[in-house]
Amino acid sequence: MEGYHKPDQQKLQALKDMANHLYIISIQATMVAGSGHPTSCCSTVEIMTVLFFYAMHYKSQDPWNPHKNCFVLSKGHPAPILYAIWAEAGFLPEAELLNLRNISSDLDGKSVPKQAFTDVATDSLGQGLGVTCRSTYTGKYFDKASYHVYCLLGDGELWEGFMWEAVAFAGIYKLDNLVAILDINNLGQSEPTPLKHQLGIVQKCCEAFSWHTIIMDGHSAEELCKAFGQAKHQPTAITAKTFKDQGITGVEDKDSWHGKPLPQNMADQIIQEIHSQIQTKKKILATPPQEDTPSVDITNIHMPTLPSYKVGAKIARKAYGQALAKLGQANNCIISLDRDTKNSTFSDLFRKEHPDRFLECYIVKQNMVSIAVGCATHDRTILFCSTFAAFFMQAFNQIHMATISKSNINLCSSHCSLSIGEEGPSQIALEDLAMFQSVPMSTIFYPSDGLSTEKGVELAASTKGICFIPTSCPENATIYNNEDFQIGQAKVVLKSKDDSVTVIGAVVLQEALASVDLLKKANINIRVIPFTIKMLDQKLILDSACATKGRILTVEYYYYEGSIGEAVSSAVVGKPGVTVTHLAVGQVLRNGKLDELLKMSGIEKDAIAQAVRSLVTKA
């Protein structure tokens, strides 16, 4: 986007011919697959061709190159065109395109990062622009490099609210290295989109958020070249008027063709029709990028100093903010995101110490996670996102897509479970632990005090995949004395040679410890284990169960479904002589103080002591 230089007629004709060739391939690939979206390919084929063989700078044999211009296919249906482009560039064999959607092929129905040329998984519509925003923010403010990021969106996803969260974000931060291409093709899946081809309304919406907006013919190679060549000091939205199956008799702009491959006889006729328009088979080479992206190293991240917590000293969620600020001293790639809760999550401690590496995402939780996924691409940063536990649940689809993208992001929730009881049930997150347990290859650190919180932050920085660190409101006494922590290795904080029951908890650990004095009156000893839920320390649980006559009691601030009790039960299933009893929240709660809600739910120290006594008596 250094400025527009009109291509000569020979180059324009080569772009048109290439677009027609790519469209033929997409028709053939979807026909062989028996499924797919050839009509969506048609509405975007000129856009993609001009983008990759005129506007973008990249290395065709090195799609992961850190200096390249980046591309995000937010509307996933035209994936066959993306694959055809990389075959045209020489990275894929063209014959592989006919394996589209085959289980043995990497060419899925929607592009995913197992393909070397795909940075992030998209097509949970509306999320692509948020991911793009973070990549552009990284390029402009962290890398300070010249690369641009392009995002192709469909007109249907313009109705997703978090898409406009991303539009606002880009405008606020003046992301002039961002180009969004809006494919306004009039048709949704089952009927025309609400605005149809009213491009002026879309233009006004984008301009209201300080975007430079261009309206143009999305099937004109010359107009596309001109649009991509307009450099402005603000994000750019190219609003392209297109048609599904443009120029194809009987199919152009018609309903009922979404997601359907063309029948053989119709495909043969259309391919012949398109082929007759091709004048040349001239190859166009990719333009290499300017190599000005700095190298980074995000491996072997450790705290610069040992923890300073003393046993018995009380601290709550502030330990997370202190740990994050401290970790930021160890590596300049540590980045913190928050959504206007930084004075509660204590991520503001990081902001005060490292202001250039803190990003305020304002109130939008979903876009914050999308932005984190974009920032984490190409292994250039280590991301920590912070907000209240209840708000991450709203962003679960973004977390789902981050898993598919193999993203390395760390999500820290404060005010977890009952600890925010005075705010009422809308703020009491009792499902988030179950939610994160269901995320494949995720890691959950559940700290019980300040020291374990700091260790959890340090471990998360070097852990692949999605990490979840919940913290609570009440100040808890420090129970560890500068111990070593490892993923999948739990601790025993209280034990004796004649323990009767193994009690497993996390934040509720303090209540379990408080029950010890009550049980001593009945000459009952318990073994107490704070809980690290993923990865589960199955061996320690089984060893402890054997030492306590097979009796395990789990206690948690969460619902019974999907949380600690079920995880422990799955770890000991089939083990003879081991029984697991659960204490958890069994109802939708009301506003109340923590001690009141604990008693209402039957998980306070008295209830724990009674459950232990019952297990011993029953035996």
Side-chain angles (χ1 to χ4, degrees):
M1 292 184 61
E2 293 82 3
Y4 177 58
H5 302 285
K6 183 178 178 179
D8 58 32
Q9 287 303 313
Q10 190 177 19
K11 179 68 175 283
L12 286 173
Q13 187 60 49
L15 288 168
K16 293 175 185 177
D17 291 339
M18 184 182 290
N20 281 326
H21 174 63
L22 297 177
Y23 185 35
I24 289 173
I25 293 174
S26 70
I27 292 174
Q28 293 172 330
T30 52
M31 189 171 60
V32 171
S35 62
H37 300 267
T39 59
S40 297
C41 291
C42 180
S43 72
T44 60
V45 65
E46 289 88 359
I47 294 171
M48 298 275 280
T49 302
V50 174
L51 177 59
F52 274 84
F53 294 101
Y54 175 79
M56 281 179 58
H57 297 176
Y58 61 100
K59 293 184 177 182
S60 59
Q61 297 304 312
D62 185 14
W64 196 250
N65 187 284
H67 308 287
K68 67 169 184 174
N69 288 178
C70 300
F71 174 70
V72 175
L73 183 60
S74 186
K75 57 171 294 179
H77 294 156
I81 290 291
L82 179 64
Y83 305 153
I85 279 171
W86 281 100
E88 187 69 25
F91 186 74
L92 292 174
E94 191 167 307
E96 177 62 20
L97 302 178
L98 297 183
N99 290 323
L100 175 71
R101 295 182 170 223
N102 190 310
I103 195 169
S104 64
S105 172
D106 284 344
L107 304 184
D108 286 12
K110 312 292 167 60
S111 57
V112 292
K114 66 182 176 181
Q115 304 143 1
F117 47 81
T118 300
D119 292 339
V120 292
T122 55
D123 197 50
S124 184
L125 293 178
Q127 294 187 27
L129 190 60
V131 173
T132 307
C133 282
R134 198 58 182 95
S135 298
T136 52
Y137 192 98
T138 300
K140 181 170 183 174
Y141 293 108
F142 297 149
D143 289 340
K144 296 179 172 59
S146 60
Y147 64 80
H148 283 67
V149 187
Y150 298 84
C151 181
L152 179 60
L153 301 118
D155 46 1
E157 62 185 317
L158 299 184
W159 293 88
E160 287 282 10
F162 42 78
M163 211 281 303
W164 293 100
E165 295 174 3
V167 171
F169 180 92
I172 289 168
Y173 287 105
K174 298 179 173 58
L175 301 181
D176 54 0
N177 53 346
L178 166 61
V179 179
I181 308 103
L182 312 180
D183 173 28
I184 311 298
N185 64 30
N186 177 54
L187 296 177
Q189 177 170 328
S190 61
E191 62 177 71
T193 56
L195 293 180
K196 300 181 181 178
H197 273 136
Q198 299 180 70
L199 277 68
I201 296 176
V202 178
Q203 180 184 31
K204 290 178 180 177
C205 290
C206 293
E207 289 177 343
F209 290 103
S210 302
W211 283 59
H212 171 58
T213 308
I214 305 165
I215 292 179
M216 42 78 65
D217 178 0
H219 296 294
S220 168
E222 184 171 356
E223 286 192 35
L224 283 162
C225 289
K226 186 175 181 180
F228 284 122
Q230 294 187 27
K232 297 288 182 180
H233 296 296
Q234 59 192 128
T236 297
I238 296 175
T239 309
K241 182 177 181 179
T242 64
F243 295 90
K244 289 188 174 182
D245 282 317
Q246 191 262 349
I248 306 302
T249 306
V251 181
E252 178 182 321
D253 201 32
K254 297 294 184 183
D255 268 338
S256 302
W257 282 101
H258 180 89
K260 296 179 181 177
L262 299 177
Q264 181 76 56
N265 59 341
M266 181 182 287
D268 290 342
Q269 179 183 345
I270 291 172
I271 288 172
Q272 185 178 357
E273 204 174 309
I274 298 170
H275 191 74
S276 67
Q277 301 171 22
I278 297 176
Q279 299 180 20
T280 177
K281 294 184 179 180
K282 180 182 178 181
K283 288 281 187 181
I284 305 175
L285 300 179
T287 303
Q290 181 177 341
E291 299 193 2
D292 59 357
T293 303
S295 59
V296 298
D297 182 6
I298 59 170
T299 59
N300 298 316
I301 308 296
H302 298 288
M303 288 290 183
T305 59
L306 294 173
S308 58
Y309 296 103
K310 304 297 183 184
V311 173
K314 290 191 172 183
I315 192 167
R317 61 191 186 277
K318 188 176 182 180
Y320 164 73
Q322 292 175 343
L324 190 57
K326 185 176 174 180
L327 190 68
Q329 300 168 11
N331 191 296
N332 289 333
C333 296
I334 306 294
I335 309 297
S336 174
L337 283 69
D338 207 303
R339 35 85 57 205
D340 198 27
T341 54
K342 56 186 174 290
N343 55 344
S344 291
T345 63
F346 285 96
S347 67
D348 62 343
L349 297 178
F350 182 94
R351 178 184 63 86
K352 291 172 183 175
E353 193 165 332
H354 314 286
D356 293 341
R357 290 185 275 136
F358 178 86
L359 180 53
E360 178 57 71
C361 298
Y362 301 100
I363 204 71
V364 290
K365 359 13 185 171
Q366 293 159 301
N367 193 51
M368 179 179 71
V369 175
S370 290
I371 287 170
V373 171
C375 183
T377 56
H378 293 260
D379 296 329
R380 300 200 59 76
T381 58
I382 297 173
L383 267 294
F384 285 85
C385 296
S386 317
T387 191
F388 292 2
F391 300 149
F392 276 126
M393 292 190 292
Q394 188 174 337
F396 187 53
N397 189 241
Q398 280 76 7
I399 296 167
H400 161 71
M401 295 303 294
T403 304
I404 299 172
S405 293
K406 300 179 181 178
S407 293
N408 301 316
I409 57 175
N410 305 303
L411 308 177
C412 180
S413 67
S414 67
H415 302 74
C416 67
S417 63
L418 305 186
S419 67
I420 195 173
E422 291 93 338
E423 295 292 337
S426 66
Q427 302 291 295
I428 299 174
L430 300 178
E431 306 91 348
D432 58 323
L433 198 59
M435 180 182 84
F436 278 100
Q437 276 206 90
S438 71
V439 176
M441 297 168 291
S442 64
T443 302
I444 303 176
F445 302 98
Y446 212 134
S448 303
D449 66 355
L451 190 142
S452 56
T453 300
E454 180 170 319
K455 291 290 187 177
V457 170
E458 182 180 29
L459 287 170
S462 299
T463 300
K464 293 292 186 180
I466 296 173
C467 293
F468 179 50
I469 308 173
T471 62
S472 59
C473 287
E475 291 189 341
N476 293 320
T478 299
I479 58 175
Y480 298 111
N481 186 16
N482 199 23
E483 298 182 36
D484 182 50
F485 285 76
Q486 297 296 329
I487 295 173
Q489 294 182 11
K491 303 285 185 181
V492 177
V493 298
L494 184 68
K495 71 175 182 178
S496 69
K497 64 181 188 321
D498 56 351
D499 293 330
S500 299
V501 178
T502 296
V503 179
I504 301 176
V507 173
V508 78
L509 172 71
Q510 307 294 334
E511 290 295 315
L513 292 174
S515 71
V516 170
D517 291 336
L518 298 176
L519 292 166
K520 281 183 177 179
K521 296 176 182 178
N523 294 318
I524 297 174
N525 293 323
I526 60 174
R527 182 163 301 197
V528 181
I529 302 176
F531 199 74
T532 301
I533 196 166
K534 284 180 76 173
M535 302 301 174
L536 188 68
D537 193 341
Q538 184 181 35
K539 183 180 184 304
L540 179 62
I541 291 172
L542 289 172
D543 288 347
S544 297
C546 290
T548 56
K549 302 178 177 60
R551 296 188 287 258
I552 297 175
L553 174 66
T554 65
V555 188
E556 55 190 307
Y557 283 1
Y558 292 94
Y559 290 132
Y560 283 94
E561 296 82 5
S563 293
I564 295 174
E566 290 192 355
V568 172
S569 295
S570 67
V572 302
V573 66
K575 302 299 180 181
V578 178
T579 60
V580 181
T581 302
H582 309 315
L583 292 183
V585 179
Q587 59 182 312
V588 176
L589 294 175
R590 57 183 297 168
N591 178 91
K593 295 179 180 179
L594 176 58
D595 57 347
E596 296 171 330
L597 295 175
L598 288 172
K599 188 171 184 178
M600 177 184 290
S601 302
I603 50 178
E604 85 287 8
K605 62 182 181 181
D606 292 325
I608 295 171
Q610 180 55 44
V612 169
R613 285 192 291 264
S614 296
L615 287 172
V616 174
T617 302
K618 188 183 298 183

